[in-house]
Amino acid sequence: MDQQLPEERIVDIDLAKEMQDSFLEYSYSVIYARALPDARDGLKPVHRRIVYQMGEMGLRPDKGHVKSARVTGEVMGKLHPHGDGAIYDALVRMAQDFSLRVPLIDGHGNFGSLDDGPAAARYTEVRLAKSSLLMNEGLDEDVVDFKPNYDAQLSEPEVLPAAFPNLLVNGSSGIAVGMATNIPPHNMREVIAAARHLLNNPQASSSDLMNFVPGPDLPTGGIIVGLDGIRDAYETGRGSFKTRARVSIESVAPRRLGIVVTQLPYGVGPEKVIEKIKEGVNNKKLQGISDVSDLTDRNHGLRLIIEIKTGFDPQVVLDLLYRYTPMEDSFGVNNVALVNGRPATLGLRDMLGVYLAHRVTVTRRRSENRLGKRKARLHLVEGLMVAILGIDEVIQVIRTSDEADQARQRLMQVFDLSELQAEYILELRLRRLTKFSRIELESEKSQLESEIAALETILASDLALRDVVSAELTEVAEQYGDDRRTTLLEESAVDRPVVGRAAANVDAQLADSPIDVVVTSSGLIGRVEQQTSVAEVAQKRKKHDAVSRLFATTTRSDLGAITSLGRLVRIHVGDVPACGAQFESSVAVSLAKFLGLPRGESVVSVLGLDSADYLLATKRGQIKRVTPDFPAKESFEVIVLKDGDEVVSATPVSDSDEIVLVTTDAQLLRFSASGIRAQGRIASGVAGINLADGASVLAAGVVPAGGEAFVLTAANSDAAIPGTDPGSAKLSVLEEFPPKGRATGGVRAHKFIRDENQIYFAWVGTSTPKALTPDGKPANIPSELSKRDASGARIDSVIGSAGI
């Protein structure tokens, strides 16, 4: 018998209506169940399910980490019927401290970076962060409604209690159908302060709240430029602002300035910046960059070094970097969140208002739940106290009853108990009938009555309820809040980067403008605005420092640093750190560090590479006059030294000057510079002073003939540990010392007293010096002038350097 086929059933439907209905269902699903956060707890469904399920699994901060794959499987199997990839991505983001201002997950393992993705779920481990306990706090006290999960086998909370405003603190981003959300993170302390203000002043405006929340506080720090867009976002829910990297211009290599980046705009990684820099250099959009290196590590954080070529203005290069790289980025604010299941665009006041209404409801429901539990417990305690007072009769009633139901009824009749009280007494263990248990019950009853009164007071007054919410928020801010990371600047307070067509025509080379370079006695170098006298710089100098040299030069000129090994190292003025008009010593750099000198080589002096001759003096008494006809090299020898010899002084000299040499055995030789002829770079000089056995040249100076000059000497014992014996010091005028011929022995400059046998410090100059200790502190020296062969006066600290 042939099987009869079922009759075909074809239903005609309107395609347009079917498409519209399907699209609306899909849109609602994406908006409500995936892409948009709830304005109350600031979480999307997947994040809420992860935090809730991890709480159910007992993955508290004081427990061990578990595999991320296990958490992903639990959430997918019980609550979130979507792919494990989406769940793991959400889990990873909640563990990244560069994505969330207050991470909700404590991750162990590789959770990625701004440039790289995380390891697979089987390799990483997680547990709840302490802040997540605030999100789940009170779930067992009926503070929120629960709903069935996707297969109606389990239940899940519709929203988490959220003891802090997570939507504002951690922000959110997502793309739905026909709408998107992009909310920046904020500082917890500031947000809670604004929430408390709105709680106490319901009529407060967004402008009032901005006094507490001036702007976003991004996890990666940086600088927000322009607050008008932020004000628009707080008023209307939509706006934008620009973020800039936090940078400093530092000496990053010998004789090389660089831009050091320590914080980048939100969501921008160093590899992306490096890629854009290389692209800009290759297509000639970026000028003056010689190298880029990424020194970022886990211990020191982000450190991106952009080296600047010699002769280029770091500020102009930085402006070009802002123009052509992500070191300046824009953030579009779109505060869209679900309110009562519907998407809404919210301003600052609206977001805080929705959250506070949620917290008030949570606190009320929690108080009602606690009140009910305490009243039920008090009811049982009162019944138990009745039983203890008449325990013999209670036992008699129970023993004479045939069954439990009869005993329960008779206890209710005899002692006027409720059914719950009677049932509790029947289940009572005999050990609870001691005298001590009675005292415990009386104490528990008193405590319960006090707690019930307090809860009833809270529930009876809306003001008291708000006070509880405010106090709890304050406690959260104190325990979990931290300082602001992001700096906020009005757009008028910063330089705008070059834009558009003008950027292509920018010359990043330094303008050849006049400038002064300052060298201090402690070895710092920096440049200041020109027309600054030595006296003016001296007044602005570092407290424990003195000015050694002041050069009037230009930004495209070179200076020369003479080292103890007889080398001249070029210093391009444009690479010297700018120290403002007042020589900010915190910006100035050490000469030895700036030049990158090896150990054992030190800077003797810094000289201008102009037409003036230089006089070099060595420890073994050699002197050499050098004409600055130097090769175009970074460094080269200017004197050939014998073994064991070193340069101790380098000073400009002319025929009208006098040369002064001071030795360790207190001899001073003064003679005219006119008899010293210039020599080539490979020469070793001529004899300057005839040294006694064991003596050496300690200092040399060049002063104008016939002008006023001073000599400072300090003596001590060579048996003392260096730096421990201050000895005595003497200040004299140079005229006290008669001139003699070159290569003679000189005259006595300091009479040694008991326990003194050497000069350990000497200085020659045209004005009264300021003496410093080796660590840069002021050193007292005699103010009265002494005869040339006089002994010095005792001083209380060792002299290490001197200057103006």
Side-chain angles (χ1 to χ4, degrees), residues 660 662 668 709-713 730-734 737 749 763-765:
V660 181
V662 183
L668 184 148
F710 298 87
V711 177
L712 173 65
T713 54
K730 181 174 77 72
L731 184 65
S732 307
V733 294
L734 185 61
F737 304 88
W763 178 89
V764 179

Side-chain angles (χ1 to χ4, degrees), residues 521-572:
S521 297
S522 63
L524 297 179
I525 187 171
R527 54 187 169 98
V528 298
E529 297 177 2
Q530 206 175 43
Q531 309 302 327
T532 304
S533 68
V534 175
E536 289 174 339
V537 176
Q539 291 178 356
K540 305 297 184 180
R541 68 181 180 264
K542 184 179 177 183
K543 182 178 180 182
H544 297 157
D545 208 347
V547 176
S548 174
R549 295 294 304 276
L550 178 69
F551 299 94
T553 181
T554 64
T555 50
R556 290 189 181 180
S557 300
D558 288 343
L559 299 177
I562 306 296
T563 75
S564 58
L565 298 186
R567 287 197 307 145
L568 185 145
V569 182
R570 287 185 182 272
I571 301 174
H572 187 72

Side-chain angles (χ1 to χ4, degrees), residues 86-324:
I87 299 173
Y88 184 56
D89 288 345
L91 180 67
V92 165
R93 186 178 185 276
M94 289 194 291
Q96 294 173 334
D97 57 3
F98 53 84
S99 294
L100 300 190
R101 190 61 178 79
V102 180
L104 300 178
I105 300 298
D106 178 12
H108 181 70
N110 178 14
F111 281 82
S113 67
L114 288 165
D115 296 305
D116 299 315
R122 61 183 178 274
Y123 299 122
T124 60
E125 298 177 343
V126 291
R127 65 183 177 188
L128 290 177
K130 290 182 179 180
S131 55
S132 287
L133 300 182
L134 300 175
M135 301 299 295
N136 284 336
E137 189 177 58
L139 278 175
D140 57 345
E141 296 184 284
D142 191 33
V143 294
V144 295
D145 293 333
F146 278 69
K147 63 180 181 180
N149 70 332
Y150 64 91
D151 61 0
Q153 299 295 315
L154 301 169
S155 61
E156 61 176 312
E158 292 183 355
V159 66
L160 294 183
F164 67 93
N166 180 62
L167 182 64
L168 275 166
V169 171
N170 280 325
S172 184
S173 63
I175 300 175
V177 178
M179 63 184 66
T181 184
N182 201 27
I183 305 173
H186 292 75
N187 184 272
M188 178 182 284
R189 290 177 181 169
E190 296 175 354
V191 172
I192 287 181
R196 294 182 61 228
H197 180 76
L198 183 60
L199 193 65
N200 298 324
N201 303 275
Q203 304 303 319
S205 64
S206 295
S207 299
D208 297 333
L209 298 177
M210 279 193 68
N211 293 326
F212 301 93
V213 185
D217 187 21
L218 307 174
T220 54
I223 300 172
I224 291 179
V225 179
L227 305 183
D228 291 339
I230 295 175
R231 296 187 185 100
D232 292 340
Y234 287 164
E235 289 286 351
T236 66
R238 296 180 184 272
S240 65
F241 58 85
K242 291 182 179 179
T243 57
R244 280 188 179 182
R246 190 180 299 277
V247 303
S248 60
I249 297 174
E250 303 176 10
S251 177
V252 297
R255 306 180 301 283
R256 184 63 58 86
L257 289 179
I259 298 172
V260 179
V261 183
T262 54
Q263 294 176 355
L264 286 172
Y266 185 45
V268 175
E271 290 185 10
K272 183 178 180 182
V273 174
I274 293 174
E275 180 183 350
K276 288 294 184 180
I277 290 176
K278 292 180 178 179
E279 181 181 323
V281 171
N282 290 335
N283 59 27
K284 309 300 183 183
K285 289 183 178 180
L286 294 178
Q287 309 172 36
I289 297 176
S290 62
D291 190 23
V292 183
S293 56
D294 185 7
L295 303 184
T296 303
D297 59 34
R298 294 183 181 272
N299 295 326
H300 302 93
L302 176 69
R303 187 171 177 84
L304 190 64
I305 297 180
I306 305 169
E307 291 190 17
I308 307 300
K309 292 179 180 178
T310 297
F312 284 81
D313 189 341
Q315 189 59 54
V316 177
V317 175
L318 180 60
D319 290 342
L320 292 172
L321 288 170
Y322 285 147
R323 172 70 177 91
Y324 291 115

Side-chain angles (χ1 to χ4, degrees), residues 699-717:
V702 174
V703 296
E708 186 178 38
F710 298 87
V711 177
L712 173 65
T713 54
N716 67 2
S717 171

Side-chain angles (χ1 to χ4, degrees), residues 416-469:
D416 193 22
L417 301 174
S418 68
E419 184 176 354
L420 287 175
Q421 290 173 324
E423 183 66 28
Y424 188 68
I425 292 172
L426 286 174
E427 296 177 355
L428 183 68
R429 294 185 178 184
L430 293 177
R431 65 182 180 184
R432 293 294 306 276
L433 304 179
T434 63
K435 180 179 179 181
F436 183 71
S437 293
R438 178 180 175 182
I439 296 174
E440 285 182 336
L441 289 173
E442 290 176 349
S443 176
E444 184 180 0
K445 178 183 177 183
S446 177
Q447 182 178 353
L448 287 171
E449 289 175 343
S450 175
E451 292 177 354
I452 288 171
L455 290 169
E456 288 177 339
T457 300
I458 292 173
L459 292 171
S461 169
D462 185 63
L463 180 60
L465 191 64
R466 290 174 177 269
D467 287 342
V468 172
V469 174

